Amino acid sequence: MESKRVVITGIGALSPFGTGKDAFIEGVRAGKYCAEVIVRFDTIPFRSNQACLVPAVELEDKDPRLARLPLSFKYGIAAADEAIRDSKLIFDVEEKDRIGVFYSTACNTEQTEQYHLGIVEKGPSSASPLLFQNTTFMAGPGAVSIKRRITGPAIAIPGGYASGLQSIDVAVNYLHQSYIDVAIVIGADELTRLHYEALYRLKLLSPRRKGAREISRPFDAGRDGMVLGEGAGALVLESLSHARKRQAKVYAEMVGVAIAHDAFRAADIAPSGRGLATAMRVALADAGMSPESVEYIAATANSTRLFDNAEVKAIKKVFGSHAYRTAASSIKSMTGETFAASGIFNVIACTVAISNGFLPPTINYEEADAECDLDCVPNSARAKRVRVAMANAYSFGGTSGSAVLKAFEDTEEDE
Amino acid sequence: MTHEEIVEKLKSMIVGRLNLGISPDEIDKDQQLFASAEGGGLGLDSIEALEIVVGIEELFGVGVEYSEGVEQRFYSLNTMAEYIEELLEKGS
């Protein structure tokens, strides 16, 4: 019998909306569309040329060792810094081996590509030791731990687009087992040319219409593929007893989380959405809640026919007729597909629905699709405060995750 | 290539490869590379030393044995340039 309650006490976001969680919340409230023409790399060979990129990243520390890290890790470090500041944790008084860092990524960095390209072009003796060091999976979590002398677990989770929720799942398990008191959970990715090209060649990106903006329009009948994004989201998760002891502000309670795999194909997802349905069902069971209690779902729909249809099918399977009474919107309509960050961003979207009093919209929605006939909060944010919300993530390769969040009530149970 | 030319090339290479965010002129040729910044050095670490080795091999076409004793040769830009001069002489 599980007894530990886990709460969210810090939030950080470096997103296509800009720097900070406030920029994220305001962007979501305004329904801001973030796609711009890519200048970071050459898109001339492609029929697409737009993405939702992070406008700028500035780190607290002016250390050149951090400055030369890949963008992706800088994003993650900046988001973690904000979440930790936001939580008001004082590291001088914390037991450092009771804090863990759970860091998820889905994609390689541009420096990883450079590292391998250098070896291919000039031979192994030209391999850059610094690029090697900067591009290992541990470079991000290592940097977060080293800065604060955190000596608990530092875990890198390269788990595809659902890895943000995987890192939450692992962190919550550590907290439930009382191995740690505090978890710093990060999901971060940068958009690279190679990743862009791969998805373009797989015909998964929304193609450019002459002079028009490429449109991310989850659930819309006219959706024709993803617009890619990037960024980092970070959360401070904490056992309730620890949060109480230091009188921390609580955003929401993390009452259930689960990850699952659809055991279908290596680079695909099961069209029935069965993996995501399993994750949602197990997360609800973990929370001890019925589907009827969920009032909002931060959907993982990314404007592809495959993902959006699969998610709607999965929601209907788990929620039955209640699927039509709950709202399910996708912030990827604004930020594009943000890979590992997306799961964390969806959790932040749930805290918005719980504590900021509005439901994030699905923007760019024009034409109803009979296959995606749920309430997607079309085009503008809806004033509503919910008690229970769910965040989803689904990845090529079949990994999925789901988290259930609840408005925090400081009752005496637990400890 | 004169000693001074080698020193200048090393400065630019090190600042560029290590992304130090300073101008090459800000490194003194007698400054200790691995002593801490507080101690007046450049505060480099062992991986950065390896990066410099790869940079020297590319820039001067010589092979550097990264073994014991090499720290003395990498003490400052001056000693590093002397070492490269020896390697160039050996190679020619």
Side-chain angles (χ1 to χ4, degrees):
Chain A
M1 180 69 194
E2 164 186 304
S3 60
K4 279 267 165 191
R5 291 171 70 186
V6 172
V7 290
I8 300 175
T9 55
I11 294 176
L14 189 67
S15 70
F17 295 119
T19 302
K21 73 174 168 35
D22 293 340
F24 181 90
I25 293 167
E26 287 321 305
V28 168
R29 192 198 301 272
K32 183 183 165 201
Y33 188 47
C34 299
E36 298 291 345
V37 171
I38 298 166
V39 291
R40 183 180 301 164
F41 51 81
D42 177 20
T43 55
I44 288 172
F46 317 124
R47 288 207 310 125
S48 304
N49 67 351
Q50 291 158 43
C52 305
L53 301 182
V54 169
V57 54
E58 200 163 321
L59 296 180
E60 281 178 357
D61 311 87
K62 300 301 163 210
D63 181 350
R65 292 201 172 98
L66 297 180
R68 67 187 175 218
L69 284 173
L71 269 184
S72 151
F73 292 130
K74 287 200 252 188
Y75 294 167
I77 291 166
D81 283 345
E82 184 191 11
I84 289 165
R85 268 198 316 274
D86 187 43
S87 74
K88 302 201 162 56
L89 271 170
I90 299 165
F91 280 81
D92 292 344
V93 301
E94 294 295 334
E95 288 179 64
K96 307 287 202 307
D97 57 352
R98 302 278 304 163
I99 303 174
V101 176
F102 303 84
Y103 192 113
S104 53
T105 53
C107 316
N108 276 332
T109 71
E110 202 253 331
Q111 287 192 22
T112 322
E113 294 164 16
Q114 269 178 22
Y115 176 72
H116 291 118
L117 201 62
I119 295 174
V120 170
E121 286 177 347
K122 298 189 217 155
S125 65
S126 76
S128 159
L130 275 184
L131 280 182
F132 174 73
Q133 166 181 270
N134 287 354
T135 56
T136 61
F137 285 118
M138 279 309 292
V144 173
S145 293
I146 289 165
K147 174 174 174 177
R148 297 171 184 84
R149 305 279 182 266
I150 295 170
T151 51
I155 300 182
I157 299 172
Y161 299 6
S163 55
L165 283 178
Q166 287 186 323
S167 58
I168 291 174
D169 187 64
V170 175
V172 165
N173 277 309
Y174 269 86
L175 288 162
H176 280 168
Q177 299 291 330
S178 292
Y179 293 147
I180 55 173
D181 300 317
V182 179
I184 297 154
V185 182
I186 300 144
D189 270 305
E190 68 182 72
L191 182 64
T192 66
R193 187 187 185 281
L194 195 64
H195 202 87
Y196 185 91
E197 177 165 4
L199 295 175
Y200 171 81
R201 301 222 176 274
L202 289 167
K203 301 199 185 313
L204 290 164
L205 303 188
S206 171
R208 177 171 60 212
R209 309 261 179 269
K210 256 192 193 135
R213 287 183 105 179
E214 288 159 24
I215 301 296
S216 177
R217 53 177 121 224
F219 304 127
D220 183 276
R223 67 190 182 282
D224 55 7
M226 289 185 277
V227 173
L228 299 180
E230 63 172 11
L235 303 169
V236 174
L237 299 180
E238 202 169 340
S239 70
L240 175 58
S241 52
H242 189 269
R244 263 193 197 133
K245 222 177 288 170
R246 62 180 197 93
Q247 298 180 308
K249 167 192 68 187
V250 173
Y251 285 99
E253 182 168 351
M254 183 68 70
V255 284
V257 59
I259 52 178
H261 196 261
D262 65 15
F264 183 60
R265 287 183 193 152
D268 203 350
I269 60 166
S272 66
R274 66 187 185 211
L276 183 56
T278 304
M280 289 191 280
R281 187 170 45 73
V282 177
L284 283 167
D286 187 34
M289 290 188 150
S290 69
E292 287 73 28
S293 57
V294 176
E295 296 161 274
Y296 171 68
I297 300 169
T300 187
N302 61 14
S303 191
T304 56
R305 300 224 151 255
L306 179 64
F307 273 77
D308 300 11
N309 288 354
E311 184 168 27
V312 170
K313 279 184 194 150
I315 291 171
K316 287 178 181 172
K317 192 169 166 187
V318 173
F319 288 81
S321 62
H322 183 68
Y324 292 98
R325 288 192 294 273
T326 188
S329 69
S330 174
I331 59 168
K332 289 179 193 173
S333 58
M334 297 171 262
T335 64
E337 172 58 74
T338 53
F339 313 115
S342 69
I344 309 283
F345 285 163
N346 274 356
V347 167
I348 300 174
C350 287
T351 68
V352 164
I354 287 169
S355 55
N356 294 72
F358 69 91
L359 305 186
T362 303
I363 65 162
N364 300 321
Y365 187 82
E366 288 172 358
E367 197 186 333
D369 178 354
E371 286 196 82
C372 298
D373 56 349
L374 305 180
D375 171 11
C376 69
V377 194
N379 297 320
S380 14
R382 180 182 304 160
K384 183 171 180 176
R385 193 174 293 271
V386 305
R387 202 173 143 270
V388 179
M390 174 183 262
N392 283 346
Y394 208 170
S395 177
F396 288 110
T399 307
S400 57
S402 188
V404 182
L405 287 86
K406 192 173 134 226
F408 177 59
E409 291 156 38
D410 197 1
T411 51
E412 286 306 311
E413 65 192 270
D414 167 88
E415 292 296 307
Chain B
M1 214 178 316
T2 68
H3 182 81
E4 291 310 315
E5 282 168 350
I6 294 175
V7 168
E8 290 311 307
K9 277 181 186 247
L10 284 173
K11 280 184 185 175
S12 304
M13 181 271 284
I14 289 172
V15 167
R17 283 191 91 105
L18 303 187
N19 194 6
L20 292 179
I22 56 173
S23 150
D25 306 334
E26 288 176 56
I27 310 178
D28 187 90
K29 63 181 181 179
D30 290 315
Q31 191 175 8
Q32 278 191 55
L33 297 175
F34 298 99
S36 69
E38 294 80 44
L42 211 53
L44 302 187
D45 65 25
S46 58
I47 300 286
E48 289 165 326
L50 289 171
E51 186 70 29
I52 293 172
V53 167
V54 174
I56 289 173
E57 290 180 341
E58 274 193 20
L59 197 54
F60 300 100
V62 295
V64 176
E65 287 282 326
Y66 193 78
S67 54
E68 273 184 50
V70 84
E71 293 87 356
Q72 281 93 26
R73 315 309 304 259
F74 277 29
Y75 182 83
S76 68
L77 289 179
N78 239 342
T79 61
M80 202 183 271
E82 278 165 21
Y83 179 48
I84 291 165
E85 283 172 297
E86 281 172 33
L87 291 173
L88 285 171
E89 216 154 281
K90 235 189 276 173
S92 61

